[in-house]
Amino acid sequence: MHRNARQQKILEIISTKEIDTQEELCYELNRLNFNVTQATISRDIKDLKLYKISGTTKKYKYAFLDSDDDTVTGRMKNLFSECVQTINYANNIIIIKTMRGNGATAGTFVDSLQLKEILGCVAGDDTLLIVVNSNENALIVTEKLREYMA
């Protein structure tokens, strides 16, 4: 019960304030009498599937993607375009550089496209590596992905 209340409070906080670090979120929760550590916040961020996007007053802010509504594709496109910095390829490998902490965000979007040319993706903190079935298709997929950056 305590975890659910804390996670609901996290969603409330990030919807009203630009929070860009786990430490800042921890401070806000402790201020509201939730006794939490940074490790707890880290687990909550994973559980809630929070992402970092561009902020208006801060460089980045945490955001929540409600995955059970029909606007997911649109929201995922927006998240992808906001977090991706570059898309390049070499032979049959595509490398997407993202803002720190957004490799998995980009990977989730790419996986959702279900492109038959993609054999698989591996996400790091700020990089997504995509293996494509041929050198020629790497160029085609790169161009498709760049369209979502606009």
Side-chain angles (χ1 to χ4, degrees), residues 22-85:
Q22 292 181 4
E23 292 77 15
E24 191 177 356
L25 190 52
C26 192
Y27 169 80
E28 290 293 331
L29 285 166
N30 281 316
R31 204 171 57 79
L32 296 168
N33 296 320
F34 286 88
N35 188 15
V36 295
T37 64
Q38 185 269 329
T40 302
I41 297 302
S42 181
R43 282 189 298 274
D44 286 341
I45 286 169
K46 281 189 173 82
D47 288 349
L48 292 168
K49 296 181 173 69
L50 299 184
Y51 299 98
K52 280 195 175 179
I53 61 171
S54 297
T56 49
T57 59
K58 295 187 177 182
K59 190 167 183 172
Y60 305 122
K61 68 176 182 175
Y62 281 107
F64 174 70
L65 180 66
D66 183 4
S67 62
D68 50 305
D69 70 39
D70 293 335
T71 61
V72 170
T73 305
R75 288 187 189 173
M76 284 302 292
K77 285 179 191 173
N78 289 341
L79 275 172
F80 183 79
S81 69
E82 288 182 12
C83 78
V84 171
Q85 295 174 327

Side-chain angles (χ1 to χ4, degrees), residues 19 65 121:
I19 304 291
L65 180 66
C121 300

